[in-house]
Amino acid sequence: MTGLDVTTPAGLIRLCNAFCESKALLTAVELDLFTELHDNPATEEEIRVRLGLHGRGLRDFLLLLTALGLLERQGKRYRNAAGADQYLVREQPTYIGGFMRRANDNLYPAYGKLSEALRTGLPQAQGDFDDVLRDPKVLGRFIHMMDALTQVLGPQLIEAYDFSAHGTLLDVGGCRGNLAGQIVKAHPDLTGTVFDLPQMEPFFTEHMASLGLSSKMTFNPGDFWNDPLPQADVVVMGHVLHDYDFDKRRFLVEKAAAAVRPGGALLVYDRMLDEGPAQVENLVISLDMLLVSEGGSEYPVEELRQHAALAGFTSLEEKRLGDFDTLLICRRG
């Protein structure tokens, strides 16, 4: 929406209504519309029956999705547009709908309380991460949200850093190992470990088996606030630091530094806040952290450089990662 002319009433109203389009997309993912239409184009009435809908408003809903480029209409039948068919069909390896389902359940309601968050500085999302951990169904949605991000960033990280010079990899807060699994699969001489909370382990075990990586990947359960991190040549922390405030980010960088073997590296990526075309997107994510965490936010790369230097890293290299993330490669001599 950054191309809108906000100097005019029409442009301001258009920006005001942007959330309506977002909710249309989120609703389509919630209804699993794109999965239903995969290889099965359907009429409005067929869609109504398949999804168990009332019918009122359905035509406008489908036409809006068509106008947004998510569906295509041929005669009376609707089919997925190319992007929706590749990324929003459940069971596709490129599926990113997990992120959207989590956004629909968690972020969308929380944004209705943004003014309260700004007044109080307190998170507004319903429940906390302990609630997520207690409910396997909700935890599964969170994991699929994380997979949606790492599915995109994994190939980009593999391109950005030469893992072939190393033998061991540790992904801190690596969820069910989707990112680490991609890296290990691309480098047959590499073995990987995921460090995360014990509740993630069953999901990890299942996922590694599906990838054929059970013999090359291990899960180390623990809490990085209280438990030591296992040693590795390369330690990855992706979309972890932004969950916490300045002091906790510094603590985690120091802890990760202690896990990096001599000659190894710490790789940190986040939606860092620096000048550039990604600034609007990353500021939105930073507000997400206001709404869902006690002290989290996105942060400038210069802050991370300071933390890394204090932790003893002697060489720091900054790279763009995808459209919005910044990668800082922290090498130990």
Side-chain angles (χ1 to χ4, degrees):
M1 306 304 291
T2 55
L4 291 176
D5 181 3
V6 294
T7 66
T8 67
L12 289 168
I13 291 172
R14 181 79 176 82
L15 180 59
C16 165
N17 284 334
F19 78 94
C20 304
E21 298 170 16
S22 298
K23 186 57 176 173
L25 167 60
L26 296 177
T27 300
V29 172
E30 178 187 358
L31 295 172
D32 234 0
L33 173 63
F34 303 111
T35 300
E36 186 63 40
L37 293 179
H38 181 58
D39 291 334
N40 291 291
T43 65
E44 176 187 333
E45 176 60 16
E46 288 169 342
I47 292 170
R48 185 192 72 77
V49 172
R50 289 184 196 175
L51 299 183
L53 305 177
H54 178 276
R56 183 179 179 220
L58 179 57
R59 181 174 184 274
D60 291 342
F61 177 64
L62 296 172
L63 289 176
L64 175 57
L65 295 174
T66 302
L68 292 172
L70 298 167
L71 296 179
E72 295 175 351
R73 189 184 184 198
Q74 294 180 328
K76 293 184 177 182
R77 305 185 79 79
Y78 294 89
R79 56 184 290 177
N80 291 339
D85 206 56
Q86 182 172 1
Y87 298 112
L88 298 177
V89 174
R90 191 191 295 272
E91 309 306 333
Q92 290 276 76
T94 51
Y95 181 67
I96 62 170
F99 179 88
M100 297 179 187
R101 286 178 175 269
R102 179 70 177 163
N104 193 39
D105 294 343
N106 190 256
L107 287 175
Y108 186 82
Y111 261 94
K113 302 175 182 177
L114 178 58
S115 56
E116 184 68 14
L118 292 170
R119 289 190 185 101
T120 65
L122 297 175
Q124 301 298 313
Q126 188 173 18
D128 57 22
F129 198 62
D130 287 338
D131 295 321
V132 173
L133 293 172
R134 279 191 288 267
D135 187 333
K137 185 176 181 181
V138 176
L139 180 57
R141 290 177 186 167
F142 171 81
I143 288 170
H144 282 102
M145 177 190 75
M146 299 305 295
D147 281 358
L149 298 173
T150 55
Q151 198 66 32
V152 175
L153 289 173
Q156 297 166 354
L157 185 60
I158 291 167
E159 182 70 22
Y161 185 77
D162 182 12
F163 291 90
S164 63
H166 304 292
T168 55
L169 167 75
L170 170 67
D171 190 354
V172 179
C175 211
R176 69 170 184 162
N178 194 54
L179 178 78
Q182 292 178 70
I183 297 170
V184 169
K185 199 148 193 156
H187 296 88
D189 294 331
L190 197 64
T191 59
T193 300
V194 168
F195 183 95
D196 214 317
L197 296 169
Q199 292 88 341
M200 302 290 182
E201 187 165 8
F203 297 93
F204 168 88
T205 301
E206 179 184 32
H207 192 44
M208 291 305 103
S210 71
L211 295 177
L213 293 175
S214 297
S215 64
K216 302 198 66 178
M217 294 285 299
T218 58
F219 188 88
N220 188 318
D223 176 350
F224 50 47
W225 301 114
N226 301 306
D227 300 320
L229 298 177
Q231 298 276 305
D233 298 326
V234 184
V235 177
V236 177
M237 296 184 76
H239 295 168
V240 171
L241 296 183
H242 72 174
D243 288 334
Y244 307 105
D245 61 24
F246 179 95
D247 291 334
K248 289 181 178 178
R249 290 195 286 263
R250 179 175 59 191
F251 171 85
L252 288 176
V253 171
E254 290 174 351
K255 191 155 191 175
V260 177
R261 291 185 176 129
L266 169 65
L267 310 183
V268 179
Y269 64 84
D270 259 321
R271 299 286 193 93
M272 298 181 204
L273 295 177
D274 293 287
E275 297 298 328
Q279 189 74 346
V280 170
E281 176 74 17
N282 290 357
L283 287 168
V284 168
I285 300 298
S286 197
L287 285 176
D288 291 352
M289 303 317 298
L290 164 68
L291 293 166
V292 304
S293 71
E294 291 291 340
S297 69
E298 300 301 339
Y299 52 90
V301 67
E302 183 56 34
E303 178 198 315
L304 181 56
R305 284 179 169 274
Q306 293 173 13
H307 295 331
L310 287 172
F313 290 104
T314 55
S315 173
L316 305 176
E317 182 183 3
E318 178 183 340
K319 291 186 176 185
R320 296 297 298 171
L321 193 66
D323 294 325
F324 306 115
D325 282 79
T326 300
L327 168 69
L328 191 66
I329 301 170
C330 313
R331 292 186 174 88
R332 181 182 295 285

